[in-house]
Every structure is written in structure tokens, then in C-alpha cells.
Amino acid sequence: MTAFFQRLSAVAPWATLALLLAMFAFVHGRLTLGSGVDVALPDAEASDAVAPAALVALALPAGDGGLLVFFDDARYSLDDDSGVQAFASRLSERAAADESGRLALLADKRVSAGDLMKLMGVARRCGIRNVQILEKRD
């Protein structure tokens, strides 16, 4: 009987380690650190067959770490509330005139994902239903 317990005590740390590794493998990928927007991407590859958008915005990082948006031959700084309100009012006017509800967004790779989400939130409040994030082709 004591031989059984000696063998069990020798195996117990390894069994605990295996159980711990199995738990890590099970939990991996299910935890998040922050809030965000869940985006369901299509299974198909992106193609050139998307309908063209009449509304186009260009997002670039400002020199001071802010965000500049160029829309309708005007520049808007989204660092302060007045810039956001000016951009939102102009986008609302144009979205009301355009039936497609589609905005093409050209974003520099230095623009953070948080700034893009802020920009898409403003677009959603202005009546935009689809935002196309376009890539630069070589």
C-alpha cells in the first residue's frame, strides 16, 4: 500500500502540470483585455467587385499625434469636439443626399485602430451604413 502512495506522489506533480497545460490550451484565445467592436468578416476574399462609394474620406495622422480627416475638399481635426462636430455635420449632409449609405475610407497605416473606430462611430451616427476600408495596390 505504501508503494502505491509513493508512486502516486511521484506522478502527482507531472499530472498537475499536464492538467495546467490543458487548461491554458483551453482558455487561450478566449480572454480579451479591452472593449471594442466585434466585426464579422466574410469568408470570401476581398475583391474589386464592391460597389463604388460616392463619399470618400482620407485619414492621416497629424504631426502632434492627432488625426486629420480630409473630406469634401476640407480638412477636419478629430482631436477636439468642434472638429468632430464639423466633420459630422458635413458627413450627415452628404449622407442624406447619397442613397447608397456607403463611405470609402482611405487610411494611412500609421493611423491607429482606435482612431479608425472613432471615425467609423462618427460615420455610423451620421447615417453611413457601410464603410469600405480600401488598401493601396502596388
Side-chain angles (χ1 to χ4, degrees):
M1 188 73 155
T2 59
F4 171 75
F5 286 117
Q6 286 177 344
R7 288 183 186 150
L8 183 64
S9 65
V11 173
W14 295 107
T16 304
L17 179 65
L19 181 64
L20 183 65
L21 290 176
M23 288 173 29
F24 280 140
F26 180 72
V27 173
H28 178 71
R30 288 178 171 72
L31 301 177
T32 60
L33 296 177
S35 63
V37 175
D38 188 17
V39 178
L41 298 175
D43 293 333
E45 289 285 326
S47 67
D48 295 334
V50 295
L55 305 175
V56 179
L58 172 65
L60 294 173
D64 59 355
L67 178 66
L68 293 176
V69 175
F70 295 89
F71 179 72
D72 260 2
D73 296 329
R75 180 181 66 182
Y76 302 96
S77 174
L78 298 188
D79 296 335
D80 55 355
D81 289 336
S82 64
V84 172
Q85 291 300 326
F87 173 67
S89 66
R90 183 64 183 149
L91 185 59
S92 294
E93 291 172 10
R94 289 294 311 273
D98 182 42
E99 294 92 24
S100 70
R102 196 174 284 124
L103 173 70
L105 178 60
L106 304 167
D108 189 82
K109 68 180 179 180
R110 296 171 292 168
V111 175
S112 70
D115 286 339
L116 287 177
M117 296 307 296
K118 178 180 177 181
L119 187 57
M120 284 190 267
V122 170
R124 182 178 56 202
R125 287 191 305 270
C126 293
I128 300 295
R129 293 184 306 272
N130 294 344
V131 176
Q132 299 171 344
I133 300 176
L134 304 175
E135 66 178 355
K136 180 181 174 183
R137 300 275 173 115
D138 291 333

